[in-house]
Amino acid sequence: MQAPPMPENEAQRIQVLRNLLILDSPAEARFDNLTRVAATFFRVPIALITLIDARRQWFKSACGLPLGETSREVSFCGHAILRDEVMVVEDARNDIRFFDNPFVVGAPGVRFYAGAPLRMADGSKVGTLCLIDSEPRTLQPVELEMLADLAKLVAVELQRPPQQLGVPA
């Protein structure tokens, strides 16, 4: 297993993430609706909105996975935030980065992963909207576009000021 390397702008990225004031916040329908849409549209058992903190991967929304967070060291999403485009792993058993990852060799038996980076206004990538399946698979170009578009919606929601949500500032 290869732990994800740190992005060059790690300090800035972490500051942007923390300024969102969303880490460890309760579940919200606006995010849960998006992961449910993603899981249904792509016909996968797991869809997540992940936020990559300094040492952990925290799930703002987890459709189909009963975890709240994992170590950043074992995260697929830690690799995905290093890219500008959707990262696809068609079969994790055949990928040098992941073949011996505990989530591949054990539960939930990850085979397929696709993660679209969540890009903030300053360009920092704070996490992903990702899809996971226990069967190998591929995505068509239109599906890659759809996942990227859904990730843009998640990013917009992450950056919405509290007063736009009907929450006192």
Side-chain angles (χ1 to χ4, degrees), residues 73-121:
E73 184 176 270
V74 298
S75 74
F76 284 61
C77 299
H79 292 270
I81 65 168
L82 301 172
R83 304 170 59 109
D84 290 326
E85 66 282 342
V86 175
M87 182 180 99
V88 177
V89 177
E90 293 179 354
D91 188 339
R93 295 172 297 186
N94 299 328
D95 190 305
I96 191 72
R97 297 168 296 180
F98 306 115
F99 75 95
D100 58 349
N101 182 293
F103 296 111
V104 173
V105 297
V110 175
R111 296 299 175 262
F112 169 80
Y113 169 90
L118 303 174
R119 184 184 310 276
M120 300 296 101

Side-chain angles (χ1 to χ4, degrees), residues 110-133:
V110 175
R111 296 299 175 262
F112 169 80
Y113 169 90
L118 303 174
R119 184 184 310 276
M120 300 296 101
D122 76 336
S124 296
K125 292 169 266 183
V126 299
T128 69
L129 171 62
C130 68
L131 311 171
I132 296 172
D133 200 342

Side-chain angles (χ1 to χ4, degrees), residues 31 34-36 38-39 44-51 57-70 76-77 108 110 113-116 118 127-132 147 151 154:
F31 296 109
L34 290 168
T35 53
R36 241 183 348 270
V44 294
I46 299 170
L48 307 167
I49 294 172
T50 70
L51 299 173
Q57 167 181 250
W58 181 72
F59 306 133
K60 177 58 184 166
S61 179
C63 178
L65 187 69
L67 296 175
E69 66 182 62
T70 70
F76 284 61
C77 299
V110 175
Y113 169 90
L118 303 174
T128 69
L129 171 62
C130 68
L131 311 171
I132 296 172
L147 182 56
V154 172

Side-chain angles (χ1 to χ4, degrees), residues 11-23 51 53 120 122 124 126 158-162:
Q12 174 187 341
R13 194 191 70 72
I14 292 293
Q15 189 59 53
V16 168
L17 172 61
R18 295 194 175 154
N19 287 345
L20 295 172
L21 302 175
I22 200 159
L23 288 172
L51 299 173
D53 200 0
M120 300 296 101
D122 76 336
S124 296
V126 299
L158 286 170
Q159 296 174 95
R160 283 179 66 193

